[in-house]
Amino acid sequence: MKQLSLFSLALAGIAVLGAAPSALAAEEVVLRYRSFSRTVAIADLATLAETGEAPAGLTGLLDQVGQSPETLQTVLNHRVITDGVVLDKALNSLPGEWLLDQLGQTIRPVSGEASRQALRSALVLSASDDGELTLLEVLQTYPTETVVLEVEQVESVLARIDTLLQPLSRLLGENILEIILRGGF
């Protein structure tokens, strides 16, 4: 019998436990920028991403780093189109694990342990419901209470994710999906 993918296990775990995705997700993010860091509620980032207005907890931080709320809103809402199944298969390959290790230097748990697994879970869960992912969704689905984000590296991370996923998304068609589901990818 085929081994269940991490994606399938995560969905099964949510269904069996009856847990809402937020029960398994990060509530705050440690934003590290140059020589300082600040902990911010992910709910504040979600408000900014949705409305464009920076809650009080973010206003001072944005002033300190010289960024506008619009810039952060754009980064948080940057969409990468991908299929959750294809993403899961890609991230469970040798090149995918290498990419997770690279991305894990920018988005990681506070402990630094199991970074690859946590990031894979967050990426796949983010893409599973609507075929796309955003940085905000990845932070919201990250499976630890707190996640660390190295702010200066975010744009390069988004570019790396785009570079990996766009060719896979273009190739995705009915025949390729069948091959992937049979384990041929």
Side-chain angles (χ1 to χ4, degrees):
M1 185 171 155
K2 287 185 182 177
Q3 183 180 5
L4 290 176
S5 68
L6 181 63
F7 173 66
S8 300
L9 287 173
L11 290 180
I14 290 170
V16 169
L17 296 174
S22 62
L24 302 171
E27 295 179 18
E28 58 188 17
V29 61
V30 177
L31 299 173
R32 294 182 51 151
Y33 185 77
R34 296 185 182 158
S35 63
F36 71 92
S37 66
R38 177 159 314 150
T39 302
V40 176
I42 291 181
D44 286 349
L45 293 176
T47 298
L48 174 64
E50 185 177 319
T51 67
E53 299 293 322
L58 286 176
T59 303
L61 177 64
L62 290 170
D63 289 343
Q64 279 183 322
V65 298
Q67 292 294 321
S68 68
E70 294 81 18
T71 300
L72 183 54
Q73 181 184 33
T74 300
V75 170
L76 290 169
N77 288 323
H78 177 80
R79 297 193 183 292
V80 177
I81 308 299
T82 189
D83 179 88
V85 174
V86 173
L87 180 61
D88 184 43
K89 292 283 188 179
L91 294 177
N92 278 296
S93 68
L94 192 56
E97 289 182 358
W98 176 84
L99 179 66
L100 288 168
D101 290 341
Q102 300 303 305
L103 298 177
Q105 295 174 19
T106 302
I107 304 171
R108 61 181 170 73
V110 174
S111 70
E113 296 178 17
S115 178
R116 183 188 294 172
Q117 296 85 348
L119 187 54
R120 180 187 297 124
S121 173
L123 288 165
V124 171
L125 285 173
S126 297
S128 67
D129 64 340
D130 59 1
E132 60 187 31
L133 58 89
T134 66
L135 177 59
L136 179 62
E137 289 175 340
V138 171
L139 295 173
Q140 289 173 323
T141 58
Y142 206 88
T144 60
E145 187 175 313
T146 304
V147 60
V148 176
L149 181 65
E150 301 291 343
V151 176
E152 287 185 290
Q153 299 173 13
V154 168
E155 287 188 46
S156 67
V157 165
L158 292 174
R160 285 186 215 165
I161 292 172
D162 265 337
T163 300
L164 172 72
L165 298 180
Q166 284 190 359
L168 292 173
S169 295
R170 275 189 235 120
L171 288 174
L172 184 63
E174 187 173 316
N175 293 337
I176 291 175
L177 182 56
E178 288 176 17
I179 293 168
I180 292 167
L181 292 175
R182 288 193 312 262
F185 181 72

